[in-house]
């Protein structure tokens, strides 16, 4: 993988991957930003959820489950001292499906968190306590 970062203005940065797709980063005005985009740490937190989201939905689809909606709410708590890494991350998965069972969702998330999701694995290796909750709703 390769990417490029370029200063847009102030602390706003445009990241471009090899395919030409862009990700915008910014920060708060108190450190020179404009709050026009997510911070790098917010994007890292979203990336953990997105990685597991893709695993989970793929596993459920392989089980031929109908997915009306899948959402992940994610909360991260960082250390007080620099480099202010994540010390805890909690993901809450909410699946809306007419035919999936709770154990289908639990197993898909377990496989994602324990085997497939590289983003979660990296956070765990860095010392973060990554945990999750699951909820199944009927349409």
């Amino acid at each position: 993988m390769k990417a490029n970062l370029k200063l847009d203005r102030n602390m706003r940065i445009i990241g471009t991957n090899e395919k030409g797709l862009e990700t915008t980063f910014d920060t708060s005005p108190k450190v020179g930003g404009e709050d026009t985009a997510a911070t790098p740490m917010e994007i890292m937190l979203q990336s953990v959820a997105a990685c597991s989201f893709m695993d989970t939905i793929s596993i459920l689809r392989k089980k031929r489950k109908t997915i009306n909606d899948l959402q992940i709410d994610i909360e991260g708590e960082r250390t007080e001292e620099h480099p202010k890494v994540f010390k805890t991350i909690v993901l809450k998965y909410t699946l809306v499906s007419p035919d999936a069972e709770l154990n289908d969702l639990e197993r898909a998330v377990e496989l994602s968190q324990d085997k497939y999701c590289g983003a979660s694995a990296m956070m765990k290796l860095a010392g973060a306590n990554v945990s999750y909750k699951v909820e199944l709703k009927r349409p």
Side-chain angles (χ1 to χ4, degrees):
M1 281 187 215
K2 292 183 180 181
N4 173 269
L5 294 178
K6 182 178 188 305
L7 181 64
D8 184 34
R9 63 181 185 270
N10 296 325
M11 293 289 283
R12 185 179 161 92
I13 300 165
I14 307 294
T16 308
N17 70 6
E18 290 177 287
K19 297 174 189 171
L21 302 172
E22 293 183 345
T23 303
T24 305
F25 303 85
D26 202 353
T27 192
S28 69
K30 71 180 180 182
V31 290
E34 301 172 23
D35 268 339
T36 63
T39 68
M41 293 302 282
E42 289 168 336
I43 289 174
M44 288 182 81
L45 195 60
Q46 290 174 31
S47 294
V48 170
C51 178
S52 185
F53 190 110
M54 290 181 182
D55 294 338
T56 302
I57 204 164
S58 176
I59 293 164
L60 290 168
R61 285 179 176 159
K62 285 179 184 172
K63 290 183 169 196
R64 293 185 163 80
K65 300 303 175 185
T66 305
I67 300 164
N68 291 16
D69 190 27
L70 178 62
Q71 294 187 32
I72 301 176
D73 293 315
I74 185 168
E75 290 185 30
E77 184 180 353
R78 295 171 64 188
T79 58
E80 294 294 322
E81 307 80 35
H82 286 284
K84 295 187 181 182
V85 298
F86 286 106
K87 60 182 178 179
T88 61
I89 296 174
V90 179
L91 298 103
K92 183 184 177 216
Y93 300 73
T94 304
L95 173 67
V96 179
S97 172
D99 57 2
E101 298 300 327
L102 186 59
N103 65 329
D104 294 320
L105 177 58
E106 289 170 337
R107 182 65 177 145
V109 172
E110 177 185 24
L111 284 168
S112 173
Q113 288 299 313
D114 294 345
K115 185 173 184 178
Y116 296 116
C117 182
S120 284
M122 285 179 25
M123 290 295 183
K124 291 172 188 174
L125 286 172
N129 177 9
V130 180
S131 62
Y132 60 88
K133 302 170 188 174
V134 298
E135 180 181 11
L136 175 65
K137 294 182 177 180
R138 297 292 180 207

